């Protein structure tokens, strides 16, 4: 009799716990990448997070920290070490680690856009670049780019290579810095959160940057001239990663839900937002900034300044056991084809 009562009690307790177990929630801490007022947070991150919570029926909740957990170059290591569960970051400011993934820093011969380049980057990574294992220790959820970079200056319009000589240029990556040197400028490498302080204090005369970075990081008011380069200069690459142990601990159905919303889907989402913001920013800027279209001659000089990128990237690919020519040809072809389909 006592045994029956014990069993009944155990069954009742189990029945009471079942609803709680069924609704158990995993809360993941995402290290803040951009301020909550930034369009990337509002139009890319927040919808993606909401979609994940809906797709996992509330079993997975992502909470973005109210402030960065460290400087942007540390975001990848914060996730790898488990300090943060998830984070986004810019490959270009983490020097020496992501050489193969930065395939987008090679120049294009024809016009491309952030949607096409982002999707092409993800496809190229899956087909060729993953072999390099540059995101080791994390689960790579997404790759994407921002808009292509252009030339922005405070006081002096830039129409020729000679105009750049001796000027101090803010450059977002080492690749951009080397190109600035090749064009006769003096590079100052800073991550985007430091754009405002760098140009507002007169540390630099000009910027190699995207439209959205100039506007999004409040450097807009200090820019009087912009030189657009047909086909673009280079695209910066960004990642979204998750701590591997945290990912592995999720139920398989939740892992699958997250990955369905990430990868190419995230690349397309982010690329589209950057494209729209790029167009919006340019439309507003034309009212107060002198817009200069780079001449064919100047464009050739700019492309030549980036010649070293192909050679250096090919060496990194070879060291990683990747067929560099096949990967680069595929990436460029995909980006151009996807652009032309629009």
């Amino acid at each position: 009799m006592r045994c029956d009562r014990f069993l009944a009690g155990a069954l009742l307790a189990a029945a009471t716990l079942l609803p709680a177990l069924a609704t158990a929630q995993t809360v993941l801490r995402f290290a803040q990448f951009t301020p909550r007022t930034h369009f990337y947070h509002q139009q890319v991150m927040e919808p993606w997070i909401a979609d994940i919570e809906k797709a996992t029926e509330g079993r997975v909740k992502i909470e973005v920290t109210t402030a960065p957990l460290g400087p942007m170059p540390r975001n990848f290591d914060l996730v790898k070490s488990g300090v943060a569960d998830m984070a986004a970051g810019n490959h270009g400011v983490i020097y020496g680690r992501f050489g193969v993934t930065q395939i987008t820093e090679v120049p294009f011969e024809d016009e491309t856009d952030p949607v096409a380049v982002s999707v092409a980057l993800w496809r190229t990574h899956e087909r060729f670049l993953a072999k390099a294992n540059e995101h080791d220790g994390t689960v790579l959820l997404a790759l994407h780019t921002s808009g292509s970079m252009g030339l922005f200056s405070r006081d002096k319009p830039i129409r020729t290579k000679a105009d750049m000589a001796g000027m101090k240029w803010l450059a977002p990556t080492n690749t951009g810095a080397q190109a600035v040197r090749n064009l006769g400028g003096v590079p100052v490498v800073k991550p985007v959160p430091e754009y405002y302080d760098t140009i507002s204090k007169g540390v630099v005369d000009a910027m190699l940057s995207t439209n959205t970075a100039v506007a999004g990081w409040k450097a807009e008011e200090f820019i009087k001239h912009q030189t657009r380069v047909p086909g673009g200069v280079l695209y910066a690459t960004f990642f979204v990663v998750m701590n591997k142990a945290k990912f592995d601990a999720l139920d398989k159905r939740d892992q699958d839900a997250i990955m369905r919303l990430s990868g190419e889907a995230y690349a397309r989402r982010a690329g589209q937002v950057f494209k729209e913001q790029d167009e919006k920013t340019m439309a507003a800027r034309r009212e107060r900034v002198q817009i200069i279209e780079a001449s064919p001659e100047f464009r050739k000089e700019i492309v030549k300044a980036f010649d070293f990128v192909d050679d250096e990237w090919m060496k990194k690919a070879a060291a990683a056991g990747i067929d560099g020519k096949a990967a680069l040809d595929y990436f460029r072809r995909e980006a151009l084809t996807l652009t032309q389909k629009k």
Side-chain angles (χ1 to χ4, degrees):
M1 194 71 169
R2 183 178 299 172
C3 182
D4 290 343
R5 286 199 300 271
F6 176 78
L7 180 60
L11 289 172
L12 180 61
T16 303
L17 284 172
L18 279 175
L21 290 172
T23 58
Q25 188 177 70
T26 298
V27 179
L28 301 172
R29 186 166 70 151
F30 196 110
Q32 187 191 92
F33 177 50
T34 58
R36 292 172 183 268
T37 55
H38 194 278
F39 72 83
Y40 184 82
H41 181 88
Q42 295 181 346
Q43 298 180 42
V44 181
M45 294 300 309
E46 286 186 346
W48 177 69
I49 288 170
D51 286 348
I52 286 176
E53 186 166 349
K54 181 178 179 181
T56 61
E57 299 177 329
R59 292 183 299 274
V60 176
K61 182 178 179 61
I62 300 171
E63 294 183 346
V64 180
T65 60
T66 56
L69 297 182
M72 188 184 291
R74 290 196 60 223
N75 278 12
F76 181 81
D77 285 331
L78 288 173
V79 173
K80 186 172 182 177
S81 65
V83 173
D85 300 320
M86 309 172 84
N90 181 344
H91 292 99
V93 300
I94 308 174
Y95 306 122
R97 179 176 291 184
F98 298 106
V100 172
T101 307
Q102 289 174 256
I103 191 173
T104 62
E105 293 192 344
V106 298
F108 286 94
E109 291 296 326
D110 297 294
E111 201 71 43
T112 51
D113 68 51
V115 185
V117 177
S118 293
V119 173
L121 171 61
W122 181 259
R123 292 179 181 178
T124 305
H125 182 271
E126 286 198 303
R127 181 172 293 199
F128 296 99
L129 311 184
K131 186 176 182 180
N133 201 26
E134 290 188 331
H135 301 85
D136 182 40
T138 70
V139 174
L140 178 64
L141 299 181
L143 294 171
H144 69 89
T145 71
S146 57
S148 178
M149 296 189 185
L151 310 177
F152 299 83
S153 54
R154 290 172 56 103
D155 303 311
K156 178 182 176 182
I158 307 298
R159 293 188 175 88
T160 66
K161 179 180 176 181
D163 291 334
M164 296 180 66
M167 291 177 67
K168 290 183 180 179
W169 285 79
L170 192 155
T173 68
N174 278 348
T175 300
Q178 183 57 53
V180 165
R181 290 188 195 96
N182 292 347
L183 289 164
V186 179
V188 177
V189 181
K190 297 285 185 181
V192 287
E194 297 180 37
Y195 276 19
Y196 179 84
D197 283 345
T198 304
I199 197 158
S200 67
K201 294 176 181 177
V203 175
V204 295
D205 308 301
M207 306 168 65
L208 173 63
S209 179
T210 64
N211 287 314
T212 52
V214 171
W217 295 95
K218 312 302 182 186
E220 184 84 21
E221 64 182 289
F222 304 101
I223 296 299
K224 296 178 183 176
H225 313 278
Q226 175 182 351
T227 303
R228 291 189 70 254
V229 183
V233 178
L234 65 83
Y235 286 86
T237 62
F238 298 83
F239 60 81
V240 180
V241 292
M242 181 171 175
N243 178 269
K244 189 173 187 310
K246 283 286 187 177
F247 184 84
D248 290 345
L250 294 176
D251 187 279
K252 178 67 164 57
R253 58 182 171 168
D254 294 333
Q255 292 177 351
D256 292 343
I258 290 172
M259 293 311 298
R260 279 196 303 273
L261 293 164
S262 302
E264 184 169 321
Y266 190 104
R268 196 175 293 277
R269 183 199 297 260
Q272 185 62 39
V273 169
F274 272 105
K275 180 181 179 182
E276 291 169 359
Q277 285 294 320
D278 192 69
E279 293 169 350
K280 180 180 176 181
T281 300
M282 280 300 300
R285 183 176 294 143
R286 289 183 185 280
E287 298 179 4
R288 52 167 296 277
V289 172
Q290 181 186 20
I291 307 296
I292 301 165
E293 297 292 327
S295 67
E297 295 74 23
F298 187 27
R299 184 187 178 282
K300 287 179 182 178
E301 290 181 313
I302 293 171
V303 171
K304 183 175 177 57
F306 282 88
D307 278 353
F308 72 96
V309 181
D310 278 36
D311 294 337
E312 289 190 2
W313 187 88
M314 292 287 279
K315 290 176 183 176
K316 292 170 185 174
I322 294 169
D323 184 340
K325 185 179 186 308
L328 198 52
D329 287 348
Y330 175 82
F331 169 66
R332 281 178 165 145
R333 186 170 61 251
E334 282 291 294
L336 293 173
T337 300
L338 287 165
T339 300
Q340 291 162 5
K341 282 183 178 179
K342 297 183 184 308

